[in-house]
Amino acid sequence: MLTAITRGVSETLAHGELTFRDRAPIDIALARRQHAAYEAALIALGVRIDQLPAENAYPDAVFVEDVAMVLDEIAIVTAPGAASRRGETESIARAVGKYRPVQHLSPPATLDGGDVVRIGKTLYVGLSSRTNQSGIDQLGGLLSPLGYMVLAVEVEGALHLKTACTYAGRGILLANPEWADTNIVTDVEILAVDEQEPWGGSVLAIGDSLVMAASFPRTRAKLEARGFTVVPVDLSELQKAEGGPTCLSIVFDAPNA
Ligand code: GLY
């Protein structure tokens, strides 16, 4: 069954890392309602939720995608690029260990899961302020023997590669080409975000549906015109913390869950 690991919203969310966003007041109660609505949207799409408790010591811990990846064969606990997030790995290792054998990235590697766009057996990994070449090399070392190809993509102007682009499915990469060198992504059509919505490139594909922040109606219309079913979710408070729909979950198939 398709499963999503999520984590409750930290009381301290407003004190999290910000790289390209200006700090703005965050309504934690509203953030929690929005997070619950996000989980409800996944449930409506047939996904089972495995919710971990909030970790108030780690303001950004709700953004679980950054600290672990789950592939069919193994789970990889990352080496988060922000020092304030490294403690999140302990509990996520236990969580993903219920489903897969676990491997860890280690220094000097840094890598955030938000930098990894997977298209089939190819993983495009953003070289960003959070992910370094050593992280990409270690990931390649773990995954090449399993038949995956790991390729670096320069990211400029965005926190993560998945802030700039995500794979929508059906051969379409939704992208803000200003923020990532998408030329390296082959065999896909690049569908550009609406120019008034530079942050609109992040969608979470669940089957044929795309979970997307509600604040990008123009980009949503472009996706719908291409036949996608878009599920908009209001994520305003989580966006203020520089998060989006992909980073709120780790989605994978757990046949026996
Ligand atoms: N606030 C999200 C992050 O920087 O990791």
Side-chain angles (χ1 to χ4, degrees), residues 202-238:
S202 191
V203 292
L204 175 65
I206 303 287
D208 278 339
S209 299
L210 302 176
V211 179
M212 182 177 194
S215 50
F216 306 116
R218 292 165 179 267
T219 304
R220 173 185 173 186
K222 287 181 97 167
L223 289 162
E224 287 174 338
R226 299 302 299 272
F228 288 101
T229 300
V230 178
V231 180
V233 181
D234 185 358
L235 297 176
S236 64
E237 303 311 288
L238 296 144

Side-chain angles (χ1 to χ4, degrees), residues 6 19 42 54 65 68 96 98 118 121 144 157 165 169 193 215 220 223 230 246:
T6 63
T19 309
L42 296 192
E65 171 182 65
V96 296
K98 289 192 297 183
R118 184 169 74 81
K121 296 281 269 189
S144 298
C165 64
V193 298
S215 50
R220 173 185 173 186
L223 289 162
V230 178
T246 69

